[in-house]
Amino acid sequence: MNKALNDSFHFERAGLWLKNRAVLAPLTHNMSGAGGDPGQAELDWLVRCARGGFGLLIAAATQVQPGGRCWAGQPALMTDAQQQAFTTLATRVTQAGTLAVVQLHHGGVRALPELNEGAPVGPCELAPGGRYPLGVKGLSEEGILAVVEAFVHAAERAYAAGLHGVELHAAHNFLLCNFLNPLHNQRTDRWGGTLPNRARILIEIIRGIRARLPRTFLVGVRLSPESYAHIQGIELPHQLAVAHLLADEEIDYLHFSMGDSFKAVDGDPDGGSLLGAVQAGLAGRVPLMVAGSIRDAASAQLALAGGADLVAVGTAALGNPDWMTKVSRGLPLLQAPFTATRLEEVGFTASALGYLAGMGVLAPHDAA
């Protein structure tokens, strides 16, 4: 089947339609308050992207539990006031004809001690030193169940706010990824050892959401297909096995954070395509969204032709919140890195510019 970017997309199990296959990727902006209250500038920017034509937007990694914070300006969905902010967002985005989900997140071993109360938590205890100056606290059974409840309760808040679903962040060495990783998760109880045990925390969250909320509420999962940055332990065959466990739970989509959607599989002497391997490995069991190097209409179409059902636009959307409108009309896109002036024009604050400078998104003379 030939897929085009402007084609509508049907989440069959949920009965929801997208007006096109373009998705705003969950992008960290560092514009929320110290306590996680979503900043007005951040909400306004998301609405700008909805009005700019995206069929689906995914709000940035959003904290579900104290202790899991990774960025000073990270939003949260833990209080009534935070829920109300997302209610306003949902109303404005829906008016633009776009569906909105929020990415639910716990930093796990990557949570910053200076933004939380003490050492980060993970599947297992790690001694202080190196990357973890305070060490890592291994979660107890009660602690794991509290994490599960925190994710499920945040999903309930998202539903009450009028959002169309949630995405569970199980990529990039955050908590749910920590549990999946066989090198990080050395537990010998029901939360470790075999793959089904290591995936149990993620599956229990999905089942909890399904038990409490209508089937029309979307549940997606973000995975890393391979090891992330300097972190080892995540390999493609393992992640495809995880994907099949998730497909058994009837998730609505799987979001692979590819880094580069057009790269070869790591360690493949024949240079096989990562996207091709993912598409073949999933065997059509769950809709596939990919993020990574989706910059323009040509790259989006190439990803769709390679097996993706949905394409998530990240860096390119920062300077082009009207990305979908531009590509639909054949208008030129601004190219990254963007000037500070441009990012200010589309609504980014000083705190956001400082963060984006560190990510290499600002033009060099502006980042100085």
Side-chain angles (χ1 to χ4, degrees):
M1 167 182 156
N2 293 325
K3 293 171 281 191
L5 188 61
N6 274 304
D7 288 345
S8 60
F9 180 79
H10 189 205
F11 289 110
E12 293 182 1
R13 293 190 175 103
L16 296 178
W17 285 88
L18 302 180
K19 60 187 177 184
N20 56 54
R21 295 174 183 263
V23 179
L24 176 69
L27 295 166
T28 300
H29 314 113
N30 209 41
M31 291 197 288
S32 290
D37 291 349
Q40 189 60 51
E42 181 156 13
L43 299 177
D44 288 344
W45 187 79
L46 291 170
V47 172
R48 188 187 289 260
C49 291
R51 293 173 178 166
F54 286 98
L56 174 71
L57 66 80
I58 307 174
T62 296
Q63 184 183 1
V64 301
Q65 186 186 51
R69 195 168 182 80
C70 282
W71 302 280
Q74 182 178 10
L77 187 47
M78 301 185 293
T79 69
D80 291 347
Q82 291 160 2
Q83 180 178 318
Q84 182 55 49
F86 280 102
T87 300
T88 302
L89 173 68
T91 299
R92 296 172 68 193
V93 167
T94 301
Q95 289 171 346
T98 296
L99 269 59
V101 306
V102 58
Q103 186 184 74
L104 302 183
H105 171 270
H106 188 299
V109 302
R110 292 186 64 191
L112 297 180
E114 60 268 29
L115 299 179
N116 300 286
E117 295 183 359
V121 299
C124 301
E125 181 178 354
L126 294 175
R131 196 171 293 121
Y132 311 111
L134 301 183
V136 174
K137 297 178 182 177
L139 283 164
S140 66
E141 171 82 10
E142 293 74 17
I144 294 173
L145 295 177
V147 168
V148 171
E149 176 59 26
F151 272 92
V152 175
H153 188 49
E156 290 182 297
R157 285 190 178 277
Y159 174 75
L163 295 172
H164 301 93
V166 295
E167 177 175 288
L168 306 176
H169 200 333
H172 299 176
N173 199 39
F174 297 124
L175 184 64
L176 301 182
C177 185
N178 299 156
F179 270 86
L180 291 174
N181 191 330
L183 296 185
H184 280 211
N185 185 350
Q186 298 290 316
R187 299 178 72 101
T188 57
D189 60 5
R190 67 189 185 118
W191 306 100
T194 65
L195 176 58
N197 277 1
R198 286 183 279 110
R200 186 183 303 276
I201 186 172
L202 181 53
I203 290 172
E204 288 298 318
I205 292 167
I206 295 168
R207 290 177 178 175
I209 295 170
R210 290 287 188 233
R212 298 191 202 176
L213 297 175
R215 187 59 189 84
T216 52
F217 190 71
L218 297 171
V219 177
V221 176
R222 192 177 220 202
L223 294 177
S224 299
E226 299 170 323
S227 290
Y228 170 77
H230 54 271
I231 302 302
Q232 298 302 306
I234 297 296
E235 298 180 355
L236 182 58
H238 175 278
Q239 296 301 82
L240 291 174
V242 171
H244 281 276
L245 290 178
L246 299 176
D248 291 342
E249 302 300 321
E250 298 190 353
I251 62 171
D252 293 291
Y253 69 87
L254 189 64
H255 182 181
F256 266 109
S257 181
M258 308 281 276
D260 178 355
S261 297
F262 310 106
K263 70 182 291 293
V265 176
D266 282 350
D268 184 348
D270 298 321
S273 159
L274 177 59
L275 176 54
V278 168
Q279 191 266 346
L282 292 180
R285 294 197 61 205
V286 61
L288 172 63
M289 179 189 302
V290 297
S293 299
I294 309 297
R295 299 186 177 93
D296 51 22
S299 54
Q301 198 58 53
L302 186 61
L304 292 171
D309 298 296
L310 299 164
V311 290
V313 182
T315 299
L318 293 171
N320 302 278
D322 53 351
W323 185 90
M324 187 58 193
T325 297
K326 285 181 175 177
V327 300
S328 297
R329 298 176 180 175
L331 299 175
L333 295 163
L334 296 174
Q335 301 298 316
F338 307 105
T339 66
T341 299
R342 173 55 182 170
L343 294 183
E344 288 170 347
E345 286 175 352
V346 299
F348 287 106
T349 63
S351 62
L353 293 179
Y355 174 80
L356 295 172
M359 300 300 292
V361 175
L362 278 185
H365 63 279
D366 288 321

